[in-house]
Amino acid sequence: MNDDAPIFDPQAFRLAPQEADLTALARRLGAENFAGRAAAYDRDAIFPTENYDDLHAAGLLSICVPKAHGGHGAPYRAYMLTAAEIGRYCGATALTFNMHVCSCLWTGDLADDLDMDGLERDRHDRHRAKHYARIVEDGRIYAQPFSEGGAAAAGVVPFSTSARKVDGGWVIKGKKIFASLSGHAHYYGVLCGEVKPGEKPSRKDTMYIAVPADAEGVSVEGDWDPLGMRATVSRNLIFKDVFVSEDEELMPRGVYYQAATRWPHMFMTLSPAYMGIAQAAYDFTVKYLRGEWPGLPPVKRRIYPTKQIALAEMRVRLEQTKALWFQAISEARPDPSKEQVLRAYAAQFSVMENANALCQLAIRTCGGQSMLKSLPIERLYRDSRCGSLMLPWTAEICLDRIGREGLYEPGESD
Ligand SMILES: Cc1cc2nc3c(=O)[nH]c(=O)nc-3n(C[C@H](O)[C@H](O)[C@H](O)COP(=O)(O)OP(=O)(O)OC[C@H]3O[C@@H](n4cnc5c(N)ncnc54)[C@H](O)[C@@H]3O)c2cc1C
């Protein structure tokens, strides 16, 4: 039986009934199924296919598909809280789940907040209905490759992967790196720049298009043997003049740019995996020091004051992280104030850095045995290191923006 308490207690944090139900479901799946599989996926760097089967069977692949289309219709916060519970048991499943869910959240709840004229809205509704049906009915999985190895994924320059409009569709050409779920997703939700003859590339012309994994000209290349988050299988994707029908547009022209500028909290969706890891590091330490970790002799280490202080330090850091993150995800909305955006950067930074700091403290406190691969903490430690690297809101970029935007108002310079 799973005795893990919720990361965010529904009563204490005043969760909506849907949030309480979804987080409980994710916690049950995570504890009963994902936790036991995580070590093998990590060791062999293989995609968590069985976990995805479970997510589909439980209806969680459709968590952010609107109710009218057969999904849970979970809004942003409900998704974030649910994904954090998954991250507790398998970080790589939670991280890849994010790539999949964004194809529904961004095209669903977020897009409903954005401006589109009647024709665009109709077109968007037609297209997304097709994507949602694939997910709800057939358990199809979407990936979200945007990184290219240059400044595009940081949101600084246009994507160099190009989309050229042709009769009835688009021709996609380019290369994406670090494409989680590569070789396992059924569709790649590619961010690319529309080529407009005679015009300079612009971020405003970013297109978000689903490329079927089996389309002619799509290939996966490179190996994948990283430090952490190994089960994400984030290899390179090559698109060699790939034709896709125009129904595959995940957003109409101009809408991705609008989302990225008006709904900035959309980039925090990579953080729940690491919120879950932070909680898992704390939970492990408590069980270990109490001599209650399953399979280990019941040796108690909680009697030592140094262990108690270390656990206290961990608790303080965890509570700080949870409080800030919960506030940031609760106030996410279109056109947030400057204060809200700065808080979102601070929350992202805190989750990503503190998840790793908590894992470090857990290992120091629990000692040598905790480094063994038979226990989860060394995997949590390696997985947690990846959080700060996730573009577009890496830990460095968050600090950069908090500092600059705290000191300069728009239009000011020295
Ligand atoms: C486990 C894992 C899974 C991933 N999955 C995906 C995925 O599914 N899809 C996807 O698109 N990407 C994914 N990524 C990629 C990730 O978001 C980054 O794009 C990738 O780690 C960038 O690597 P890089 O070394 O080329 O970054 P670089 O562009 O070289 O940047 C290195 C660092 O420099 C800093 N930096 C970069 N640009 C700026 C700037 N303009 N201002 C200030 N600082 C800057 C950042 O801190 C950045 O971390 C994944 C990465 C990991 C580790």
Side-chain angles (χ1 to χ4, degrees), residues 99 144 146-147 156 178 180 229 234 389 391 394 396-397:
M99 317 306 180
Q144 196 193 37
F146 59 89
S147 297
V156 178
F178 278 106
S180 291
M229 288 292 183
S234 309
L389 316 178
L391 285 168
T394 65
E396 284 183 336
I397 290 180

Side-chain angles (χ1 to χ4, degrees), residues 83-141:
E85 291 288 355
I86 296 175
R88 243 172 137 169
Y89 303 101
C90 181
T93 298
L95 193 61
T96 49
F97 184 57
N98 165 73
M99 317 306 180
H100 166 80
V101 171
C102 282
S103 71
C104 311
L105 180 65
W106 293 3
T107 57
D109 232 32
L110 256 78
D112 290 346
D113 283 338
L114 302 173
D115 298 331
M116 290 184 225
D117 65 25
L119 279 177
E120 281 171 339
R121 187 73 70 191
D122 286 351
R123 184 181 170 90
H124 182 55
D125 279 343
R126 251 193 347 271
H127 291 170
R128 69 181 178 175
K130 190 170 160 179
H131 297 290
Y132 296 155
R134 289 170 178 161
I135 294 169
V136 174
E137 288 158 24
D138 306 323
R140 302 286 97 171
I141 304 170

Side-chain angles (χ1 to χ4, degrees), residues 209-224:
I209 299 178
V211 177
D214 57 5
E216 204 179 323
V218 178
S219 58
V220 179
E221 67 165 32
D223 62 354
W224 178 249

